[in-house]
């Protein structure tokens, strides 16, 4: 009787939704409802898709009937205001599955006639994140090794959402994390805890912004500064300044390809001569599915300046 009650509870529904995403190696879980109905989709290999495995465990009409409670449950887990349905909210929580902890980042967005929430599963499903495993050619790896030997300058990893930029970034960090360099990472949020790094979590609510943390990092005598993402003009400006003053800066940026990254920096107001003086190289990558297999590979372009 107790198990039946548990299996018909909102807590159980949310657990199954998240577990299905982890089992399917999804990067994100998209949940929304409005006047047209409910939708639960998983982003797998960059593509949004519904999961029949989910509906085999819980009927779609049951999830649809309980969707408001499901979103409220996720808000509670994420330490959001459950009653607030007019403003966007961000949060995060940990999820235990098969004795492993998964960090889940949640983003709530009110819509015209309903609600939408996206869960980002912050865990790499790859046991080996070396460049060859990720799909980089031996020529590209050789170029990247030369780039990482530089004592100062900036290396950027570019690509669309869900293209594996964070995984490539982690691979680059592992290549230089030899215990002889002071490496400070500025992340929002910290996706993987790595021994030997000084990892700082951004918290905009209390004023711990990318720009503030970067300014403080420069006073902590780092050899390498890793920025999870260059999102705005201020962050880009400080990153460029750090690269020009004797630090190796590695970061990601949302652009379609390597060449578009330079245009994006110019659009952010960075003078072209500063970009050329500071930039070592750009990795442009996209994630594509292998033919007739469940695997995926990174198609990359390495621009060595």
């Amino acid at each position: 009787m107790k198990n039946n009650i548990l299996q018909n509870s909102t807590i159980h529904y949310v657990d199954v939704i998240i577990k299905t995403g982890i089992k399917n190696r999804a990067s994100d879980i998209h949940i929304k409802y409005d006047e047209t109905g409910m939708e639960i989709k998983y982003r797998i290999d960059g593509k949004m898709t519904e999961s029949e495995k989910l509906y085999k465990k819980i009927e779609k009409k049951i999830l649809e009937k309980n969707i408001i409670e499901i979103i409220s449950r996720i808000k509670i887990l994420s330490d959001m205001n459950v009653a607030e349905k007019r403003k966007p909210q961000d949060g995060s929580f940990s999820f235990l599955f098969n004795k492993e902890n998964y960090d889940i980042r949640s983003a709530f967005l009110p819509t015209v006639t309903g609600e939408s929430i996206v869960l980002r599963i912050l865990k790499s499903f790859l046991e080996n994140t070396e460049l060859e495993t990720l799909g980089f050619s031996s020529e590209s790896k050789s170029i990247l090794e030369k780039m990482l030997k530089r004592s100062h300058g900036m290396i950027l990893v570019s690509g669309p959402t869900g293209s594996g930029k964070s995984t490539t970034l982690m691979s680059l960090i592992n290549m230089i994390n030899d215990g002889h360099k002071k490496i400070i990472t500025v992340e929002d949020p910290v996706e993987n805890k790595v021994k030997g790094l000084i990892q700082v979590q951004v918290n905009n609510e209390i004023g711990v912004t990318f720009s503030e943390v970067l300014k403080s990092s420069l006073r902590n005598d780092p050899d390498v500064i890793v920025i999870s993402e260059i999102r705005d003009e201020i962050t880009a400006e400080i990153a460029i300044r750090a690269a020009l003053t004797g630090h190796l800066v590695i970061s990601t940026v949302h652009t379609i390809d390597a060449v578009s990254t330079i245009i994006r920096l110019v659009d952010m107001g960075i003078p072209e001569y500063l970009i050329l003086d500071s930039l070592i190289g750009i990795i442009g990558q996209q994630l594509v599915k292998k033919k007739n297999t469940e695997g995926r590979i990174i198609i990359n372009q390495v621009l060595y300046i």
Side-chain angles (χ1 to χ4, degrees):
M1 182 70 176
K2 192 174 181 181
N3 285 338
N4 288 336
I5 293 171
L6 183 63
Q7 288 180 0
N8 292 314
S9 70
T10 305
I11 294 172
H12 173 67
Y13 301 150
V14 171
D15 282 355
V16 172
I17 290 168
I18 296 173
K19 285 176 182 177
T20 302
I22 293 170
K23 287 178 181 177
N24 286 324
R25 298 162 64 95
S27 60
D28 302 89
I29 305 170
H30 293 249
I31 305 169
K32 80 173 183 73
Y33 85 91
D34 53 30
E35 58 188 13
T36 63
M38 174 212 75
E39 188 176 270
I40 299 176
K41 288 188 175 180
Y42 297 89
R43 187 178 293 282
I44 303 168
D45 295 339
K47 185 179 179 182
M48 295 269 284
T49 182
E50 285 190 292
S51 173
E52 290 302 320
K53 292 178 182 177
L54 172 64
Y55 300 139
K56 282 180 181 178
K57 291 184 178 178
I58 307 171
E59 288 184 41
K60 189 172 182 179
K61 63 181 180 181
I62 293 175
L63 290 171
E64 195 155 14
K65 183 181 177 182
N66 293 276
I67 192 62
I68 296 174
E69 288 80 8
I70 288 169
I71 291 177
S72 295
R73 167 65 180 166
I74 294 170
K75 282 185 178 180
I76 291 169
L77 288 172
S78 307
D79 201 23
M80 294 180 184
N81 183 351
V82 179
E84 181 58 76
K85 297 185 178 182
R86 301 166 300 169
K87 297 178 182 178
Q89 298 185 73
D90 293 314
S92 63
F93 59 95
S94 291
F95 187 82
L96 185 65
F97 179 58
N98 283 347
K99 297 182 180 179
E100 283 194 73
N101 256 318
Y102 293 80
D103 291 323
I104 311 290
R105 186 174 66 192
S106 50
F108 169 78
L109 190 67
T111 65
V112 177
T113 57
E115 299 178 87
S116 170
I117 197 160
V118 177
L119 306 178
R120 168 64 61 91
I121 302 172
L122 299 173
K123 189 174 181 69
S124 174
F125 294 102
L126 294 172
E127 293 180 6
N128 183 350
T129 58
E130 291 182 3
L131 293 177
E132 295 95 331
T133 307
L134 299 181
F136 283 78
S137 66
S138 56
E139 183 184 357
S140 294
K141 183 187 176 185
S142 177
I143 294 171
L144 287 171
E145 286 172 345
K146 288 180 185 176
M147 288 162 62
L148 291 169
K149 285 179 181 177
R150 300 276 289 271
S151 61
H152 63 278
M154 186 162 64
I155 300 170
L156 296 176
V157 183
S158 68
T161 301
S163 60
K165 296 187 296 297
S166 296
T167 304
T168 299
L169 194 69
M170 186 53 59
S171 181
L172 298 179
I173 293 169
N174 289 336
M175 289 171 72
I176 58 175
N177 186 19
D178 57 4
H180 299 295
K181 299 182 182 72
K182 183 171 183 178
I183 303 172
I184 298 178
T185 73
V186 185
E187 304 175 67
D188 181 24
V190 173
E191 296 192 14
N192 296 286
K193 295 176 180 66
V194 181
K195 187 178 180 181
L197 306 184
I198 297 172
Q199 296 177 273
V200 185
Q201 170 84 48
V202 169
N203 189 335
N204 290 314
E205 290 183 7
I206 59 172
V208 185
T209 62
F210 268 108
S211 56
E212 289 302 317
V213 174
L214 279 172
K215 288 174 187 174
S216 298
S217 297
L218 289 171
R219 294 192 290 269
N220 273 263
D221 190 30
D223 296 296
V224 183
I225 299 174
V226 180
I227 308 166
S228 63
E229 183 186 345
I230 292 179
R231 300 179 181 177
D232 53 47
E233 293 85 350
I234 298 172
T235 307
E237 185 182 335
I238 298 171
I240 293 279
R241 190 195 315 157
L244 290 171
T245 54
H247 306 89
L248 181 63
V249 178
I250 308 173
S251 184
T252 72
V253 62
H254 279 274
T255 54
I256 298 171
D257 53 35
V259 176
S260 300
T261 302
I262 298 174
I263 299 169
R264 174 80 174 123
L265 291 173
V266 172
D267 286 343
M268 284 181 174
I270 307 298
E272 291 181 25
Y273 71 92
L274 287 181
I275 296 171
L276 293 173
D277 284 348
S278 61
L279 203 56
I280 297 172
I282 306 167
I283 303 164
Q285 67 181 49
Q286 292 192 22
L287 202 62
V288 297
K289 196 168 183 177
K290 287 183 179 179
K291 267 190 175 181
N292 304 319
T293 71
E294 292 299 317
R296 51 189 180 175
I297 57 171
I298 287 175
I299 301 298
N300 64 76
Q301 170 196 25
V302 181
L303 204 62
Y304 189 20
I305 298 172

